[in-house]
Amino acid sequence: QVQLVESGGGLVQPGGSLRLSCVASGGIFSLYAMGWYRQAPGKSRELVAEITSSGFTNYAGSVKGRFTISRDNGQNTMYLQMNSLKPEDTAVYYCNGLYDQFNWGQGTQVTVSS
C-alpha cells in the first residue's frame, strides 16, 4: 500500500519560511494528482495546494501568492515552499492524493508564532 511521510515542519516567526517534503512509496507516484492539506486544532482538514501528475498547480485563496507546491517524480517527493508565514498558517500539514486517497501519514507540525 502507499505510504506517505511528511517532514520539514517546525517553529517559525511570522514572515518566515519553511519547506515541507512528502516522500511516497508503495505506488506509482508519478500517476497521482497530489495535494497538501492542513488541520488546525479543533478544525477540519482543508486542502491548501494541489498539483497534477503533469505539474499544474492550484492553491487555496488563503495561501495563494505565498505557498508554492512542486514535485519531483524521479524522487517520489512533493514539496511545499511556504513564505511569508502567518500565525493562521499554524497547523499539522499532510500530503495525500486528490482523487485517490491513501492512508494518512503522521503529518508535520508547522507553528508560526512570535
Side-chain angles (χ1 to χ4, degrees):
Q1 57 185 347
V2 174
Q3 301 293 317
L4 301 166
V5 179
E6 302 93 345
S7 64
L11 174 64
V12 65
Q13 292 185 318
S17 297
L18 286 172
R19 189 170 87 146
L20 308 184
S21 297
C22 168
V23 179
S25 62
I28 306 174
F29 175 76
S30 62
L31 296 179
Y32 299 105
M34 300 289 292
W36 281 100
Y37 304 77
R38 68 186 182 189
Q39 187 168 26
K43 297 182 179 179
S44 60
R45 186 162 45 225
E46 63 173 336
L47 177 67
V48 298
E50 60 191 75
I51 186 167
T52 69
S53 59
S54 58
F56 292 99
T57 61
N58 195 32
Y59 302 90
S62 58
V63 308
K64 195 169 187 177
R66 299 188 297 118
F67 291 10
T68 303
I69 189 172
S70 61
R71 67 194 297 164
D72 184 340
N73 289 336
Q75 296 293 318
N76 296 331
T77 302
M78 184 173 64
Y79 304 96
L80 185 67
Q81 178 66 48
M82 305 185 294
N83 298 325
S84 302
L85 283 162
K86 304 175 180 179
E88 50 263 45
D89 295 318
T90 296
V92 178
Y93 284 71
Y94 303 87
C95 60
N96 214 325
L98 284 174
Y99 311 119
D100 295 281
Q101 296 261 297
F102 308 106
N103 288 344
W104 295 94
Q106 294 297 307
T108 185
Q109 176 72 50
V110 172
T111 302
V112 185
S113 177
S114 59

